[in-house]
Amino acid sequence: MGLWPRFFLLGLLLLGQGTTQAHTSAGGNALEEQLWPELQTLKNFPFQCNQKRLGSSQPSTSVHSLRPSDIKFVAAIGNVEIHPDSGTVDVEMHKWAEKWSQQVCTGVVTVLSDIIRRFSPSLPRPEYAGKTVRPGASAEDLQNQAKELVRSMKENQELDFQKDWKLISVFFSNTSQSHLCPSAQQQRHVTGGMDKLTRILDYLHQEVPKAFVNLVDLSEVLRVSRWHLRTRLSPTAERCRLSEETSRLSQVVTQWSYQDSWERLLASSKYSEQESFTVVFQPFFYELALSPFLRQRPLEDPTTLALSLWNSMMEPAGQKGEPFSAKESRLVKCPSQEKPYLFTYRNSNYLLRLPKPHEKLEARDGVEVRCPDKDPSDTVPTSVHRLKLADIKVLGALGDSLTAGNGAGSKPGNVLDVLTQYRGLSWSGGGDHNLSSVTTLANILREFSPSLKGFSVGTGTQNSPGAFLNQAVAGDRAEDLPVQARKLVDLMKNDMKINFQEDWKIITLFIGGNDLCDFCDDPVHYSPQNFVDNIGKALDILHAEVPRAFVNLVKVLEIINLRQLYLEKKVSCPRIILRSLCPCVLKFDDDSAELASLIEVNKKYQEGTHHLVESGRYDTREDFTVVVQPFFEKVDMPKTSEGLPDSSFFAPDCFHFSSKAHAHAASALWNNMLQPVGQKTTRHNFENKINITCPNQAWPFLSTYRNSVQGHGSQLLCEDRMPSASPPTSVHALRPADIQVVAALGDSLTAGNGIGSQPDDLLDVTTQYRGLSYSSGGDGSLETVTTLPNILRKFNRNLKGYAVGTGDASETNAFLNQAVPQAKAEELTSQVQTLVQRMKDDHSMRFHEDWKVITVLIGGSDLCDYCTDSNLYSAANFFDRLRNALDILHREVPRALVNLVDFMNPSIMRQVFLGNPDKCPVQQASALCNCVLTPRDSSQELARLEAITQAYQSSMRELVESGRYDTREDFSVVLQPFFHNVQLPILPDGRLDMTFFAPDCIHPSQKSHSQLSRALWANMLEPLGRKTDTLNLTADIPLSCPTPNEPFLRTPRNSNYTYSTKPAIENWGSDFLCMEWNQSSSVPTSVHKLRPADIKVVAALGDSLTTALGAHPGKFGDLPTSWRGLSWSIGGDGTLETHTTLPNILRKFNPSILGFSTGTQEDTAGLNAAVKGARARDMPAQARDLVERMKKSPEINLEKDWKLITLFIGSNDLCHYCENQEALPAEEYVQHIQQALDILYEELPRAFINVVEIMELAGLHQGQGGKCDMQVVAQSSCACLGRTQSSREMQELKKVNWNFQSGISRLTYQQQYLQREDFAVVLQPFFQNTLIPLNSRGGADLTFFSDDCFHFSERGHAEMAIALWNNMLEPVGQKTTSNNFTHSRTKLKCPSPESPYLHTLGNSQPLQDQADAGPGVLSWAVPVAAGGGLACGIGAVMAWRAMRGRQREHPAMSLNTMSF
């Protein structure tokens, strides 16, 4: 069936108001108004062009400077061709076609004239005329329309035909299906159509002066019309059947080629040479029309078309390639002040911008291979992991047009030839000529295996004979790969030249460009998951059916770089083709959300293919593997020497590869195949000269995941490597792939000291190999270096924070590994602060959004120095310092999982170091780790080291299991115990395998770090309660994988783990961990040289708090009992391990000490002279009584024995102050105590007096009922406690309390007690500021108090004894003024070699010089009762109630203790 011609004539005369001389159909205006109401609103259309600024008001003399205001006449003729369906004339379609052609063209010109009228307000609204001619009437063709138009213009009396400028639009269409046919047929059709139109243009050129002619191509408008969308075009004599996607490419290329042909013809023709006549090609391109997935109807209304035509007239010739869309269709472009005219080819400098033709250079893309070993294996290998290049017999390829070779051999400028598939030049599947002239993977392989089969030659589709096993299909997407794979398998099976079972095959798969180009049109269809799944289906077919195959899965390229070609106007490219083929990459602004989404999807495509293959899914057979080749991952746009995108790497359409790019891609693929997994190039530089790498003679095999695991590398075979669907908000739903940042804190083990040191290079142990560190190193890849970051990078390739190379923590490459060699727990806080600041300052990470894994390992250095200062490195201090560091992380770092790694038992270090004296630097033991390496076997020092180690580990567990760090949904600390028990590597001959250790025999080597990484990773995936706490350094530890049922990193909550209830505390004893306990070599004569072991006698003065009234529970209401044997300062019941008292501590130093109390009876009170109810006034009497007891004791040598006496008094004085406020001012309180001290000073030689500062009772206030009813306590113990907190009496009590404290402080520094060398009075201020413990419910912990809620229980006495002892070992001026009442058996401080004495003012240098100046300058010695002291008895309850009140006001606060 032939074409339906549709002819019309429209004359629009703008010189008068009446009917023109053109043939005007009756009711024309009514039709216009009925069909397009938009035309009626155009007068109100926003118009922002400023006509007054467009230059001279004089009419133009040249068409090349023609302004819109110069136009006096607008007219149009047209010939629109439509292909009918099925070869028959459908009545409905015929009516539509007749109406459509008239509506569109008349409407466009009407709107166009209305726009021009805005520049010339006097221009009247046009009248138009036209007539419809039935099909088959040959007389009424386009030539006749032109003649009719010329005649009407000449006859128009109001038009000056010779002088007035005319705008004539010639509409035509090119809708035949020739774009589906080969180039020759296409060219015949194009040439024929152009000849017809040229004759019309010649006629107008000859007859019409002063005319600007628009040649308007309505092909796109027609193609997306309502009828065209509803029906399918029927076959014609010239139609060719190709795939839908080939049709799409063909259609775009042909349409552009047709336009380009017109542009070149018109620009170089006589039409452009005249001053009074020109023709300019004006194309229509619908953006919506170019996407088959959009549901919207195209923009057909004449207003939109007219605006598009006008805007095209405002653009320079050769730059009219931008398609218009709905959002742009209502924007009117204005003439510029610099260029106020309609654009022609001449004033656009079109010919000067045309690219200069180049001839195709033959053999310019060849290379030469000079490899020494091109031989196959001695026998045909059975394993793909031992496959040499020369063993390959068959080559195949799957993919899209980039593999099919579209345009690879096209000459520059021949855009139409891009439709030709130059499969013989294809980088992965082509085999034209040989390597000296054409670089392809096949031609390189043929240098090693000349009998290679399967490569494609020549041109043609996948069905052409020369395609062979290159089954790539132009336009295909990932969803089409399974069909390609199926066909490839069938071709190989059925080819008699291929031994399907025996021949080794290389198959290269490359897909994804088309998926990305259309992603924005259907994000669900082209989702990363669907993309990966479709590739998986194709690979599954190959894996299931193809024996002996090595499959290259080439990563999808970074397609965003295509924008550089598109946006660079200095590079000649057919932009309409680029934008048509890949709209989702090119049509959005740089900062648009759509473009950002595409970039993210591009990355997920790449990551998804990695995860698919690295899961091990295709490594289940010995003769099959799939390897990701990533050379396209970060490809840069090649540039010219001028810095412009180098279009020579692209086919004439600037989208497909030229043979030059194919050659580079082939070499890049080849090199990737030989590079070990994990070390493959991800950024191929196309600008560099092609380089063909030779196989390593020592390892000549193609690299696979299995044979790439070398040295200290590992293979991760996890199928599920995807992140959460959306970033999790809970740390308990955190997958490995969600981790964005990795960091580490610790000492030299984490800093990496000596990891990479050579066996005999001891000095190199000082080098910090941070890039190899088990928890934070990122050197190499997992295949060569096993570290936690390298494992995590298999889940998230964009992981940040890991360290590389060597250097200290301050260097840039250390990044977030802030570990410091020899760091101790006290320095951890500083590391944390630095780490937090680095994370906040680094712009590559989102501090509040990114999930972080932070690994902390500390404690080894503390143990190395423990024996030098057991107080400084006590378990209690270790606990506090670790807690302080973790508190900062908890407070300041959002979205974090903290690995707290249990440290290695120091006994392991001893075994390694001391067991190899010939290899280890034994002479440097004291410098390396004194307290671990120097003690003798079975010594008490070693036993204490073991005890403190266990105490450290217990402290870590206690801290984590306290729940302190589980108060936020996005933060958790998890104890990873793999280091708890280490099994040393033993050689067959029984010797230790020293390759696991650095040359110093202390730090682990890379071999050990690899195991540490695997063990840590396993711990992270193991649920709490089932974590491995043993590390076998020689064991084969496979890398664990998350499972579908357990995909998260494990925390207490997602492990359904409840921390075990703390075992019931059997007693309130303490562990003695001191290393220095010997007495002086001779009995000291100076109290300032007094060691704990020198004490022979203990004694005490005080009240019921010293008699230990109520220390054991009894029935409430019964007469209370004084448990003197449990008294904190004088009790001696049991041993230190069961009862913590000052005498029991001293008995560890001197088991024969005298004077302590036992039991409850008076006759066993010893030298406990305290009396229930005593006040300060009773102290002189108690002092005299104590002196008499000592003098009468036959066991005490009064002159020679050193005596320790503790005096604690004042609670009763304060409690009864409210009864008689004049009875006891502070001066009298101090005077009484001074009298007692004077007695001791005068009567007792060799005495050390502890004066314990009175606690502050002013915080006590009235309670309500319950066990600790205030009335009962007030009546029985303390009258002041019955007053209200705000009463005048309580305010006075606070003042008196402070006066007592400051008075007694001044007393202890009086000169009279400093005169004797064998006597000292020392203030012990631990009661100044006391922390009241809270129970698990947040209330005051009453287990510290007796049943009467006033006196201390045994637990309270134990805490007082610890506080007093620790005060005694602290220098004057540096003593602790508070007591943290929390239970720990390791809180006791120890004398140190540097400071083995009980501290006095005399030995607390440099403070002695201040003392000599008198007590007035000792500002530090005056206690400030800020915050209050321990609230005894009912005070604890009241403190708890106050705390509850504050908690209600500030519910976000979480405190374990509270300060008064």
Side-chain angles (χ1 to χ4, degrees):
M1 189 70 180
L3 300 178
W4 272 13
R6 183 68 192 130
F7 308 122
F8 63 91
L9 170 65
L10 177 66
L12 300 175
L13 305 181
L14 306 181
L15 300 178
Q17 295 287 343
T19 303
T20 70
Q21 294 182 5
H23 301 282
T24 304
S25 57
N29 288 334
L31 175 65
E32 174 189 326
E33 296 176 9
Q34 176 183 355
L35 293 176
W36 298 305
E38 293 93 338
L39 296 179
Q40 305 308 307
T41 63
L42 191 61
K43 63 183 67 177
N44 299 320
F45 192 80
F47 190 81
Q48 299 179 351
C49 300
N50 189 346
Q51 310 84 283
K52 297 181 180 179
R53 300 175 57 189
L54 299 181
S56 172
S57 59
Q58 295 299 320
S60 301
T61 58
S62 170
V63 72
H64 305 296
S65 59
L66 184 66
R67 296 184 297 272
S69 58
D70 296 330
I71 297 173
K72 302 301 181 183
F73 185 85
V74 177
I77 60 176
N79 182 350
V80 180
E81 303 171 348
I82 304 173
H83 286 275
D85 189 28
S86 72
T88 61
V89 178
D90 182 88
V91 176
E92 178 185 354
M93 185 273 295
H94 166 74
K95 291 180 179 179
W96 177 87
E98 183 176 329
K99 182 173 69 172
W100 182 89
S101 55
Q102 182 176 1
Q103 289 175 359
V104 171
C105 295
T106 56
V108 167
V109 179
T110 300
V111 176
L112 183 62
S113 64
D114 201 19
I115 294 173
I116 296 173
R117 187 178 298 108
R118 303 300 180 96
F119 296 88
S120 180
S122 62
L123 203 62
R125 183 171 182 81
E127 297 288 341
Y128 57 86
K131 64 179 182 177
T132 301
V133 181
R134 298 296 178 188
S138 58
E140 296 182 355
D141 57 9
L142 193 58
Q143 184 78 29
N144 289 338
Q145 292 187 51
K147 292 179 180 180
E148 177 85 9
L149 174 61
V150 172
R151 184 189 61 76
S152 67
M153 288 190 293
K154 288 181 178 180
E155 294 177 356
N156 190 333
Q157 298 301 314
E158 301 182 43
L159 173 67
D160 189 331
F161 184 69
Q162 294 298 325
K163 295 183 178 180
D164 287 342
W165 283 104
K166 311 157 193 74
L167 176 66
I168 302 173
S169 296
V170 179
F171 295 100
F172 76 101
S173 65
N174 177 39
T175 58
S176 79
Q177 301 305 293
S178 66
H179 60 272
L180 301 181
C181 302
S183 300
Q185 288 180 250
Q186 297 175 35
Q187 193 60 45
R188 284 198 301 272
H189 176 83
V190 169
T191 302
M194 291 180 66
D195 289 343
K196 291 180 183 178
L197 282 173
T198 302
R199 288 195 293 269
I200 306 302
L201 297 176
D202 285 344
Y203 175 77
L204 293 176
H205 176 247
Q206 179 181 348
E207 296 292 332
V208 183
K210 289 200 171 184
F212 185 105
V213 179
N214 285 324
L215 186 59
V216 184
D217 186 359
L218 290 178
S219 304
E220 286 296 310
V221 179
L222 176 64
R223 187 173 68 84
V224 298
S225 66
R226 188 161 49 249
W227 174 83
H228 186 74
L229 288 176
R230 190 181 67 232
T231 62
R232 294 175 59 88
L233 298 177
S234 63
T236 67
E238 292 189 323
R239 183 175 181 188
C240 304
R241 296 181 178 273
L242 296 180
S243 72
E244 177 184 350
E245 292 306 324
T246 303
S247 172
R248 177 184 178 185
L249 172 64
S250 216
Q251 168 216 317
V252 173
V253 169
T254 304
Q255 188 64 30
W256 183 90
S257 181
Y258 189 58
Q259 170 188 336
D260 185 62
S261 298
W262 270 115
E263 299 263 27
R264 290 174 180 270
L265 173 65
L266 295 176
S268 59
S269 70
K270 56 190 174 184
Y271 309 134
S272 189
E273 298 174 358
Q274 304 293 321
E275 294 295 329
S276 64
F277 187 92
T278 196
V279 181
V280 178
F281 187 86
Q282 308 288 5
F284 274 119
F285 281 102
Y286 273 110
E287 190 161 272
L288 295 178
L290 298 174
S291 176
F293 298 100
L294 291 173
R295 305 284 184 189
Q296 297 173 257
R297 290 188 176 271
L299 306 173
E300 298 176 15
D301 68 87
T303 300
T304 298
L305 297 176
L307 290 176
S308 177
L309 175 57
W310 167 261
N311 289 342
S312 181
M313 293 163 62
M314 292 294 102
E315 294 175 337
Q319 299 181 35
K320 302 176 185 292
E322 291 290 327
F324 66 94
S325 61
K327 69 177 183 179
E328 300 167 339
S329 62
R330 300 289 175 172
L331 301 176
V332 179
K333 293 185 178 180
C334 299
S336 67
Q337 214 169 355
E338 297 77 18
K339 298 179 179 179
Y341 41 76
L342 305 183
F343 280 100
T344 67
Y345 291 104
R346 190 197 297 182
N347 65 27
S348 299
N349 295 319
Y350 177 80
L351 290 176
L352 295 177
R353 293 199 308 271
L354 286 177
K356 295 179 174 59
H358 292 85
E359 291 297 325
K360 182 76 172 179
L361 299 178
E362 296 297 331
R364 72 176 187 271
D365 299 319
V367 294
E368 184 177 359
V369 173
R370 295 179 178 178
C371 296
D373 182 8
K374 295 184 179 181
D375 297 328
S377 302
D378 294 337
T379 59
V380 177
T382 58
S383 172
V384 71
H385 311 294
R386 306 284 292 182
L387 187 63
K388 295 181 68 174
L389 295 163
D391 297 328
I392 304 299
K393 300 299 181 185
V394 179
L395 179 140
L398 306 176
D400 52 26
S401 55
L402 293 179
T403 300
N406 280 75
S410 301
K411 293 181 179 180
N414 190 358
V415 177
L416 200 60
D417 193 52
V418 172
L419 300 178
T420 302
Q421 298 175 20
Y422 288 87
R423 291 181 181 263
L425 302 179
S426 171
W427 58 289
S428 61
D432 274 358
H433 306 294
N434 53 50
L435 189 59
S436 63
S437 58
V438 178
T439 302
T440 65
L441 177 63
N443 284 349
I444 301 173
L445 276 172
R446 286 159 69 188
E447 295 290 312
F448 294 80
S449 178
S451 61
L452 184 74
K453 299 176 285 291
F455 53 84
S456 53
V457 293
T459 63
T461 71
Q462 69 278 5
N463 298 316
S464 63
F468 205 4
L469 299 185
N470 180 349
Q471 285 302 301
V473 178
D476 265 12
R477 300 171 174 83
E479 62 190 295
D480 305 307
L481 277 183
V483 174
Q484 291 187 31
R486 177 75 270 154
K487 185 177 179 183
L488 175 65
V489 173
D490 292 342
L491 286 173
M492 289 191 292
K493 286 182 177 179
N494 296 327
D495 194 288
M496 301 304 294
K497 297 178 182 179
I498 296 175
N499 187 332
F500 186 66
Q501 296 296 329
E502 300 296 327
D503 286 347
W504 279 101
K505 312 158 192 75
I506 277 188
I507 302 170
T508 302
L509 190 158
F510 177 56
I511 201 75
N514 293 316
D515 300 75
L516 289 171
C517 284
D518 287 333
F519 166 77
C520 62
D521 295 331
D522 196 340
V524 175
H525 186 79
Y526 297 112
S527 69
Q529 188 61 56
N530 284 344
F531 176 78
V532 174
D533 289 346
N534 287 323
I535 291 178
K537 292 174 184 177
L539 292 177
D540 287 348
I541 293 172
L542 299 178
H543 183 233
E545 299 192 35
V546 182
R548 297 195 171 183
F550 182 104
V551 179
N552 291 314
L553 177 56
V554 179
K555 271 191 179 182
V556 62
L557 52 75
E558 197 172 30
I559 201 168
I560 193 68
N561 288 314
L562 190 62
R563 291 175 64 86
Q564 296 183 44
L565 261 182
Y566 180 76
L567 297 174
E568 181 51 71
K569 300 298 184 182
K570 295 180 181 179
V571 178
S572 179
C573 279
R575 286 172 176 75
I576 188 60
I577 294 181
L578 279 173
R579 183 144 167 174
S580 301
L581 294 178
C582 204
C584 296
V585 175
L586 302 175
K587 70 179 181 179
F588 299 112
D589 295 335
D590 286 340
D591 57 352
S592 65
E594 293 87 349
L595 190 61
S597 176
L598 179 70
I599 293 172
E600 184 64 24
V601 168
N602 200 154
K603 290 180 180 178
K604 289 183 177 179
Y605 275 21
Q606 294 176 335
E607 292 169 1
T609 52
H610 251 296
H611 294 166
L612 172 68
V613 174
E614 292 184 350
S615 67
R617 177 171 171 175
Y618 304 110
D619 279 325
T620 60
R621 286 181 12 219
E622 192 64 26
D623 70 339
F624 187 96
T625 195
V626 180
V627 179
V628 172
Q629 310 297 0
F631 65 91
F632 269 145
E633 181 179 334
K634 300 176 182 178
V635 65
D636 293 323
M637 175 65 66
K639 300 293 179 65
T640 64
S641 58
E642 293 82 16
L644 299 176
D646 191 346
S647 58
S648 68
F649 284 91
F650 296 88
D653 65 350
C654 291
F655 183 81
H656 294 90
F657 290 165
S658 68
S659 59
K660 186 176 179 181
H662 276 274
H664 272 271
S667 67
L669 172 60
W670 172 267
N671 293 339
N672 256 183
M673 289 165 58
L674 295 177
Q675 291 164 342
V677 175
Q679 302 177 48
K680 293 181 181 292
T681 301
T682 60
R683 188 189 300 273
H684 177 71
N685 191 333
F686 278 78
E687 298 171 16
N688 291 344
K689 183 179 179 181
I690 291 177
N691 176 49
I692 303 298
T693 302
C694 290
N696 187 322
Q697 287 184 279
W699 187 260
F701 310 116
L702 293 177
S703 292
T704 68
Y705 286 92
R706 192 181 301 176
N707 68 25
S708 293
V709 176
Q710 301 170 4
H712 305 292
S714 302
Q715 185 177 11
L716 185 75
L717 302 176
C718 299
E719 292 193 20
D720 183 7
R721 304 190 190 192
M722 299 303 291
S724 303
S726 59
T729 57
S730 172
V731 71
H732 313 294
L734 190 62
R735 296 171 181 258
D738 296 326
I739 301 299
Q740 299 288 339
V741 178
V742 64
L745 306 169
D747 53 26
S748 56
L749 192 149
T750 302
N753 281 74
I755 297 179
S757 301
Q758 295 301 310
D760 298 324
D761 193 353
L762 181 60
L763 292 178
D764 191 57
V765 175
T766 59
T767 302
Q768 300 167 36
Y769 290 88
R770 292 180 182 269
L772 303 177
S773 172
Y774 81 104
S775 62
S776 66
D779 279 356
S781 66
L782 183 61
E783 288 72 24
T784 56
V785 180
T786 304
T787 64
L788 178 62
N790 282 349
I791 296 171
L792 287 171
R793 284 159 73 187
K794 291 297 181 179
F795 293 86
N796 177 11
R797 296 176 62 81
N798 298 313
L799 186 75
K800 299 177 285 289
Y802 53 84
V804 294
T806 63
D808 61 35
S810 64
E811 295 186 26
T812 304
N813 59 297
F815 207 4
L816 301 184
N817 179 346
Q818 286 303 300
V820 177
Q822 299 182 345
K824 301 179 177 66
E826 63 183 325
E827 295 151 15
L828 194 60
T829 297
S830 175
Q831 291 186 30
V832 169
Q833 292 168 339
T834 303
L835 171 65
V836 172
Q837 196 59 50
R838 279 206 171 193
M839 289 192 291
K840 288 180 177 179
D841 292 342
D842 193 280
H843 299 298
S844 69
M845 63 183 67
R846 302 167 302 171
F847 183 67
H848 292 284
E849 288 81 22
D850 287 346
W851 279 101
K852 311 156 193 78
V853 162
I854 304 171
T855 303
V856 180
L857 173 57
I858 200 74
S861 296
D862 297 75
L863 292 175
C864 282
D865 286 341
Y866 169 74
C867 64
T868 64
D869 193 335
S870 54
N871 294 327
L872 182 61
Y873 303 116
S874 67
N877 280 341
F878 177 78
F879 177 92
D880 290 342
R881 290 158 182 165
L882 180 59
R883 181 192 61 202
N884 292 339
L886 294 178
D887 282 353
I888 296 175
L889 291 176
H890 184 233
R891 182 174 62 251
E892 297 194 27
V893 181
R895 297 196 170 184
L897 174 67
V898 178
N899 291 320
L900 181 57
V901 178
D902 199 351
F903 55 82
M904 181 177 68
N905 192 301
S907 63
I908 300 297
M909 188 190 305
R910 282 181 59 86
Q911 292 181 53
V912 176
F913 192 87
L914 301 179
N916 293 270
D918 56 330
K919 294 184 177 180
C920 300
V922 178
Q923 67 279 6
Q924 300 179 32
S926 60
L928 293 172
C929 191
N930 179 42
C931 300
V932 173
L933 301 178
T934 59
R936 296 183 304 276
D937 289 342
S938 304
S939 64
Q940 291 186 351
E941 292 94 335
L942 202 57
R944 286 185 173 83
L945 176 65
E946 184 64 29
I948 193 65
T949 300
Q950 294 176 7
Y952 273 27
Q953 293 173 328
S954 297
S955 296
M956 294 171 65
R957 287 193 298 273
E958 179 183 346
L959 181 58
V960 173
E961 296 184 0
S962 68
R964 186 184 187 92
Y965 304 112
D966 292 320
T967 60
R968 279 182 19 215
E969 191 66 23
D970 70 339
F971 189 94
S972 188
V973 178
V974 179
L975 185 65
Q976 309 296 4
F978 66 90
F979 230 159
H980 193 75
N981 299 297
V982 178
Q983 296 180 12
L984 289 174
I986 306 298
L987 295 171
D989 61 4
R991 294 182 298 111
L992 281 174
D993 186 349
M994 297 306 295
T995 61
F996 283 88
F997 300 94
D1000 65 352
C1001 300
I1002 293 178
H1003 291 91
S1005 67
Q1006 187 176 359
K1007 204 170 183 180
S1008 288
H1009 272 267
S1010 299
Q1011 289 292 73
L1012 298 182
S1013 306
R1014 298 179 184 112
L1016 172 58
W1017 173 251
N1019 261 184
M1020 291 170 66
L1021 294 178
E1022 291 169 337
L1024 275 77
R1026 295 192 305 226
K1027 288 186 181 290
T1028 303
D1029 63 357
T1030 299
L1031 173 61
N1032 185 340
L1033 289 175
T1034 60
D1036 181 13
I1037 305 176
L1039 292 180
S1040 305
C1041 292
T1043 65
N1045 295 329
E1046 297 178 339
F1048 308 126
L1049 300 177
R1050 305 316 290 267
T1051 65
R1053 187 187 303 177
N1054 65 31
S1055 299
N1056 294 321
Y1057 181 77
T1058 302
Y1059 289 122
S1060 57
T1061 304
K1062 293 182 180 179
I1065 299 175
E1066 298 179 358
N1067 57 66
W1068 301 111
S1070 295
D1071 296 330
F1072 183 73
L1073 302 174
C1074 297
M1075 310 292 286
E1076 293 287 332
W1077 64 90
N1078 295 326
Q1079 61 186 14
S1080 302
S1081 57
S1082 60
V1083 177
T1085 58
S1086 173
V1087 72
H1088 311 299
K1089 299 290 185 180
L1090 188 64
R1091 298 172 183 256
D1094 297 328
I1095 302 296
K1096 301 297 184 182
V1097 180
V1098 292
L1101 308 176
D1103 54 20
S1104 55
L1105 292 176
T1106 300
T1107 66
L1109 189 71
H1112 259 332
K1115 293 183 179 179
F1116 195 75
D1118 288 355
L1119 291 175
T1121 301
S1122 292
W1123 297 84
R1124 295 175 184 270
L1126 302 178
S1127 174
W1128 57 291
S1129 62
I1130 191 64
D1133 279 355
T1135 64
L1136 178 61
E1137 285 70 26
T1138 58
H1139 301 85
T1140 303
T1141 65
L1142 181 59
N1144 281 349
I1145 298 171
L1146 288 169
R1147 286 159 71 184
K1148 289 294 181 179
F1149 295 87
N1150 179 11
S1152 59
I1153 199 167
L1154 304 172
F1156 54 84
S1157 303
T1158 58
T1160 60
Q1161 303 302 315
E1162 288 289 338
D1163 57 354
T1164 60
L1167 297 182
N1168 184 347
V1171 177
K1172 173 186 174 183
R1175 304 184 193 180
R1177 66 189 181 190
D1178 302 312
M1179 288 303 97
Q1182 287 190 25
R1184 282 189 289 269
D1185 178 38
L1186 176 61
V1187 171
E1188 288 302 316
R1189 293 190 194 186
M1190 288 185 179
K1191 289 180 177 180
K1192 292 179 180 180
S1193 174
E1195 298 173 310
I1196 297 175
N1197 185 329
L1198 192 66
E1199 295 296 327
K1200 293 183 178 181
D1201 288 346
W1202 279 100
K1203 311 157 194 76
L1204 176 65
I1205 304 170
T1206 301
L1207 186 156
F1208 179 51
I1209 199 69
S1211 297
N1212 289 315
D1213 296 86
L1214 288 174
C1215 281
H1216 295 283
Y1217 167 76
C1218 299
E1219 298 173 358
N1220 182 4
Q1221 298 181 16
E1222 303 297 330
L1224 186 66
E1227 293 79 5
E1228 292 187 24
Y1229 169 78
V1230 174
Q1231 183 180 357
H1232 293 315
I1233 295 177
Q1234 183 175 1
Q1235 291 171 0
L1237 293 177
D1238 288 347
I1239 294 171
L1240 299 177
Y1241 181 78
E1242 294 170 359
E1243 299 288 339
L1244 296 180
R1246 296 192 175 183
F1248 185 106
I1249 314 298
N1250 286 321
V1251 176
V1252 179
E1253 194 169 53
I1254 185 173
M1255 70 185 72
E1256 185 180 33
L1257 300 183
L1260 305 183
H1261 56 85
Q1262 186 174 357
Q1264 297 179 5
K1267 171 186 173 184
C1268 296
D1269 183 84
M1270 202 62 208
Q1271 297 300 323
V1272 176
V1273 176
Q1275 292 171 10
S1276 63
S1277 303
C1278 195
C1280 286
L1281 299 182
R1283 305 296 195 273
T1284 62
Q1285 180 68 14
S1286 60
S1287 68
R1288 183 182 63 83
E1289 292 89 345
M1290 287 299 293
Q1291 297 305 313
E1292 286 294 323
L1293 179 64
K1294 293 179 182 180
K1295 182 177 180 181
V1296 171
N1297 203 148
W1298 189 87
N1299 288 336
F1300 278 18
Q1301 290 178 331
S1302 59
I1304 202 67
S1305 178
R1306 285 192 296 271
L1307 172 63
T1308 58
Y1309 297 107
Q1310 287 191 6
Q1311 288 292 329
Q1312 70 184 81
Y1313 303 127
L1314 303 176
Q1315 302 302 316
R1316 277 174 43 191
E1317 190 66 21
D1318 69 342
F1319 188 93
V1321 176
V1322 181
L1323 182 74
Q1324 309 298 359
F1326 66 88
F1327 259 145
Q1328 257 190 38
N1329 302 291
T1330 303
L1331 298 174
I1332 291 186
L1334 303 182
N1335 58 29
S1336 59
R1337 300 180 302 279
D1341 192 340
L1342 298 182
T1343 62
F1344 286 90
F1345 303 98
S1346 65
D1347 290 338
D1348 66 0
C1349 297
F1350 182 80
H1351 294 89
F1352 288 115
S1353 66
E1354 182 183 356
R1355 183 178 186 183
H1357 277 273
E1359 292 296 328
M1360 291 173 67
I1362 294 170
L1364 172 59
W1365 169 257
N1366 290 344
N1367 258 182
M1368 291 166 62
L1369 295 182
E1370 294 168 338
V1372 176
Q1374 300 178 39
K1375 292 183 181 292
T1376 302
T1377 59
S1378 63
N1379 183 28
N1380 184 356
F1381 282 81
T1382 55
H1383 175 66
S1384 172
R1385 296 184 63 89
T1386 61
K1387 289 165 63 173
L1388 291 175
K1389 293 186 176 182
C1390 295
S1392 65
E1394 296 78 16
S1395 182
Y1397 310 121
L1398 299 181
H1399 276 288
T1400 66
L1401 183 62
N1403 62 24
S1404 297
Q1405 296 290 347
L1407 299 173
Q1408 186 173 2
D1409 295 338
Q1410 297 182 19
D1412 293 341
V1417 300
L1418 298 177
S1419 58
W1420 51 266
V1422 181
V1424 180
L1430 173 64
C1432 295
I1434 190 63
V1437 180
M1438 294 304 100
W1440 166 58
R1441 292 177 59 83
M1443 186 61 175
R1444 290 185 60 187
R1446 283 193 290 275
Q1447 286 175 334
R1448 285 192 292 269
E1449 295 174 9
H1450 307 284
M1453 294 180 64
S1454 175
L1455 301 174
N1456 292 328
T1457 59
M1458 53 189 268
S1459 179
F1460 286 77

